[in-house]
Amino acid sequence: GQCRYIDGQTAETVVGKHGLESVVEVHDAVPHSEAVDIIRRSHLALLLAPNLPYQVPAKIYDYLAAGTRILAIAEDGGTSDLLAETGAGSAFAADNVDGIVDFVRCELSGDASSRRPVSLGRLDVQRLTEELVGHLERVGEC
């Protein structure tokens, strides 16, 4: 997406102000396949989903498919529930700076002992289709 400016400052200025040049890259928009490849090679995938308790951004499924750990800025709701269920990362409220910092430090330290394995069984297409058929059959009985 478009992320060259943050509150009127260039993204590079914000990254530099926080001393993150060695771990943050800012790119212009790229084709989807290239974006997924970048995600796959990244240490963490950042998902910005604040104030969306009933929505799960489609981007999270690209992140899950890439197998990259996810840091989501999202309150309680669908996104945080999905991350908790899959073990693919963690969600934090935007003002939980200490929690975000601790998560990033843990992830970048390479200490995988605290990570749960990712479980994507709930997202299996056949299982979801069977579940949908069951719901439709119940609706048809009414």
Side-chain angles (χ1 to χ4, degrees):
Q2 302 299 325
C3 57
R4 281 285 170 197
Y5 293 92
I6 303 167
D7 292 333
Q9 297 182 340
T10 67
E12 288 83 359
T13 300
V14 174
V15 168
K17 186 165 75 172
H18 295 286
L20 299 172
E21 299 91 343
S22 66
V23 295
V24 174
E25 293 179 26
V26 179
H27 295 269
D28 288 322
V30 298
H32 182 263
S33 61
E34 186 176 338
V36 171
D37 187 52
I38 291 169
I39 296 163
R40 191 173 289 113
R41 293 186 322 237
S42 299
H43 290 90
L44 284 173
L46 176 63
L47 180 69
L48 301 175
N51 305 315
L52 300 173
Y54 306 113
Q55 299 172 352
V56 177
K59 184 177 299 218
I60 197 170
Y61 298 103
D62 289 332
Y63 293 178
L64 289 168
T68 303
R69 300 282 295 161
I70 301 168
L71 165 60
I73 306 303
E75 290 75 23
D76 289 342
T79 298
S80 61
D81 290 349
L82 180 58
L83 288 175
E85 184 177 327
T86 61
S90 293
F92 299 90
D95 62 354
N96 185 355
V97 176
D98 291 337
I100 294 168
V101 168
D102 289 344
F103 177 79
V104 170
R105 282 189 179 142
C106 179
E107 292 298 320
L108 295 181
S109 75
D111 179 19
S113 63
S114 63
R115 298 182 194 147
R116 289 181 14 207
V118 174
S119 171
L120 301 179
R122 178 176 96 96
L123 303 176
D124 177 73
V125 172
Q126 183 172 349
R127 182 174 177 269
L128 289 172
T129 302
E130 290 169 357
E131 189 177 313
L132 176 61
V133 167
H135 290 305
L136 293 173
E137 286 175 345
R138 280 191 297 284
V139 169
E141 293 172 358
C142 294

